[in-house]
Amino acid sequence: MSKIADNLKKVRDSIASVCAHCNRNVSEITLVVVTKSANLDAIKQVVRLGCTDLGENRVQHLKLTADDIEAFIKQNPDDTALPQKINWHMIGHLQRNKVRQLLKCSDTIHSIDTLRLAEEISKDAEKLDLCPKILMQVNASEEPQKYGVPVGAAVHLAEQIATMPNIKLIGLMTMGPLTLNKDIVKACFIRVRELFEEIQGEKIAGPDFNHISMGMSQDYEVAIECGATILRIGSAIFA
Ligand SMILES: *Cc1c(COP(=O)(O)O)cnc(C)c1O
């Protein structure tokens, strides 16, 4: 088995075992493979291994990689291991002037943290006749250098975004704090889970609001225990 296949198997096995341990169904979890530091051959490998959800944190790189992978799939119509289509997730900080370009190649955006950005997405999506899925990024670790709406402002922003016509608000996203202390990470993830339940419980965002995107290579096991439905994992697979 190649290194990447082996790493991917380890990640998938560990997701399954944590799910079993906390009575969750593996089918509730989407693994987004973060390709930002991988080369094209490595990305082709994970696609052949059944990964259909890929994530990038820069618009330009997402577009280039999405084009390359689409061409690869088209050039190999007889390869039954290849999926028909890849879902590209934008997971990094997004500038308003890149929105229109992004909407043409990604339909799930994890990093909405201001009203102006949400308005830009809705406006551009309307022109392109699209309705992208978006997640609101929350800064639950309260590290000042991080992007994301502060926890205290999150419900209000969700209310505003939920009224926009060409956006489907599907959940919350967060980045765990930069520490190996599991208790601190867990406290942060639980805060996001509680916020998620509050927004869902008060029916602020409608029936599609079902996702919590949290958990990266260092902390995805804790994230699953705390209710994550989307994991964003890069280095555990490609390093
Ligand atoms: C890079 C990145 C990841 C993946 O991180 P790894 O530690 O490589 O698993 C997840 N989310 C975001 C927003 C990232 O930028």
Side-chain angles (χ1 to χ4, degrees):
M1 216 189 309
S2 79
K3 181 90 174 17
I4 287 172
D6 189 39
N7 288 344
L8 182 63
K9 181 173 177 345
K10 282 187 183 133
V11 168
R12 284 173 165 164
D13 287 351
S14 138
I15 293 171
S17 95
V18 181
C19 279
H21 176 73
C22 55
N23 274 318
R24 297 193 57 195
N25 196 322
V26 188
S27 66
E28 294 168 24
I29 309 245
T30 300
L31 169 61
V32 173
V33 176
V34 178
T35 56
K36 68 188 180 207
S37 57
N39 64 39
L40 194 57
D41 278 336
I43 303 171
K44 288 177 184 170
Q45 274 195 58
V46 294
V47 170
R48 288 201 84 254
L49 292 163
C51 298
T52 53
D53 288 84
L54 305 182
E56 280 282 337
N57 67 347
R58 287 174 187 277
V59 174
Q60 195 60 31
H61 202 248
L62 189 154
K63 184 179 176 356
L64 290 172
T65 314
D67 287 348
D68 284 342
I69 293 297
E70 191 185 336
F72 168 64
I73 292 173
K74 280 214 181 105
Q75 283 154 14
N76 294 279
D78 301 326
D79 187 340
T80 52
L82 290 176
Q84 301 283 312
K85 184 179 176 291
I86 298 293
N87 305 314
W88 281 98
H89 296 247
M90 172 60 184
I91 62 173
H93 179 64
L94 177 59
Q95 289 167 318
R96 279 183 294 137
N97 62 2
K98 301 273 172 65
V99 166
R100 186 184 287 242
Q101 192 189 2
L102 176 67
L103 289 175
K104 293 176 185 164
C105 45
S106 161
D107 82 337
T108 311
I109 307 171
H110 291 230
S111 42
I112 309 311
D113 59 358
T114 64
L115 183 62
R116 290 176 77 196
L117 181 57
E119 282 170 346
E120 182 75 28
I121 293 173
S122 185
K123 183 166 67 76
D124 286 354
E126 188 182 353
K127 283 183 201 141
L128 297 166
D129 197 19
L130 296 170
C131 189
K133 293 179 267 192
I134 74 166
L135 296 101
M136 193 173 76
Q137 182 171 356
V138 180
N139 180 1
S141 63
E142 270 145 31
E143 292 165 311
Q145 71 277 20
K146 277 220 182 110
Y147 293 112
V149 58
V151 173
V155 171
H156 184 57
L157 183 57
E159 284 168 347
Q160 291 175 304
I161 294 175
T163 64
M164 294 181 189
N166 284 69
I167 276 183
K168 192 179 280 181
L169 182 60
I170 65 159
L172 301 181
M173 178 274 219
T174 202
M175 310 257 294
L178 277 174
T179 168
L180 293 175
N181 182 325
K182 288 229 157 86
D183 293 333
I184 297 176
V185 174
K186 192 164 192 167
C188 169
F189 287 165
I190 287 175
R191 207 171 297 139
V192 175
R193 160 80 178 267
E194 288 171 352
L195 185 60
F196 169 80
E197 285 172 346
E198 182 182 346
I199 293 170
Q200 201 179 45
E202 293 182 13
K203 300 199 166 37
I204 289 167
D208 299 306
F209 190 82
N210 286 313
H211 288 284
I212 308 178
S213 166
M214 61 188 182
M216 323 199 319
S217 295
Q218 294 288 349
D219 54 19
Y220 69 90
E221 285 107 337
V222 184
I224 296 169
E225 288 171 16
C226 297
T229 65
I230 303 176
L231 312 174
R232 310 178 311 268
I233 300 181
S235 50
I237 294 166
F238 294 113

